[in-house]
Amino acid sequence: MIKKITLILAILLVGFGISVIPVQSGILLTDGEENPLLFLPWDSDKLTIGWRHSVELTPWKETYRIIENGNLSLESTLYKSYGAGTPDTDGKVEFLPNGFIQVTGIDRVIPHYSLFYVAISNYYLANNEQRYPLSDYVPEDINIQIHYEQIQVYKWLLLRIFNKEVSLR
């Protein structure tokens, strides 16, 4: 009888652990209705989002630090010239020798990054030197949300071993 109780408790403990223990951290791309599009394992506390400005046709990038609860804290933004929506009153502005402008010290924390993906903008995510072009992963003309998530064991198993689509939210 004690063996049966011990076995049942062990099974319950393992089941509970599988349902709540996070095993993989990563970047989750969802569409406008929060349906998962892609999960990228992520081993850095930084996320860079880059693109080509659709009017000026110059590169832009924003670098975020991943903080508590998966929130994103803007560390810096880098661009070639000022335009609509460009931060010009927040933070420290530095004119770099290569002609770019870098702004740091902007106090902005967001739960996720939102964008409307169009191929002409050449959006990408970067983790150190590794780039992930959104054109490889998402359809064109779609609202995208970029989240940092920690997924549980059972979701990781469904994604990695069984290659099943799973709701990660």
Side-chain angles (χ1 to χ4, degrees), residues 54-101:
S54 61
V55 175
E56 298 170 5
L57 304 179
T58 57
W60 285 52
K61 69 179 182 179
E62 294 181 346
T63 299
Y64 291 86
R65 178 169 300 280
I66 299 166
I67 59 173
E68 64 275 347
N69 299 323
N71 289 329
L72 305 173
S73 176
L74 182 60
E75 279 198 342
S76 67
T77 185
L78 183 73
Y79 48 87
K80 191 75 170 178
S81 62
Y82 281 103
T86 306
D88 60 352
T89 58
D90 294 339
K92 177 186 172 200
V93 177
E94 182 180 1
F95 295 91
L96 303 177
N98 63 2
F100 280 84
I101 301 164

Side-chain angles (χ1 to χ4, degrees), residues 81-132:
S81 62
Y82 281 103
T86 306
D88 60 352
T89 58
D90 294 339
K92 177 186 172 200
V93 177
E94 182 180 1
F95 295 91
L96 303 177
N98 63 2
F100 280 84
I101 301 164
Q102 181 172 6
V103 182
T104 57
I106 300 172
D107 185 24
R108 185 173 305 149
V109 175
I110 56 176
H112 60 268
Y113 188 98
S114 296
L115 62 93
F116 186 78
Y117 174 72
V118 291
I120 193 171
S121 292
N122 296 328
Y123 275 100
Y124 66 88
L125 306 179
N127 179 358
N128 300 319
E129 297 302 315
Q130 179 70 39
R131 279 190 179 198
Y132 301 92

Side-chain angles (χ1 to χ4, degrees), residues 113-165:
Y113 188 98
S114 296
L115 62 93
F116 186 78
Y117 174 72
V118 291
I120 193 171
S121 292
N122 296 328
Y123 275 100
Y124 66 88
L125 306 179
N127 179 358
N128 300 319
E129 297 302 315
Q130 179 70 39
R131 279 190 179 198
Y132 301 92
L134 292 189
S135 61
D136 291 350
Y137 305 105
V138 300
E140 195 170 339
D141 299 326
I142 187 172
N143 287 311
I144 301 289
Q145 291 184 348
I146 302 168
H147 308 262
Y148 179 79
E149 296 285 334
Q150 293 183 330
I151 61 172
Q152 291 79 19
V153 173
Y154 77 95
K155 291 179 182 177
W156 182 85
L157 287 170
L158 288 172
L159 283 170
R160 298 290 174 217
I161 295 173
F162 300 113
N163 199 24
K164 299 276 185 185
E165 289 196 20

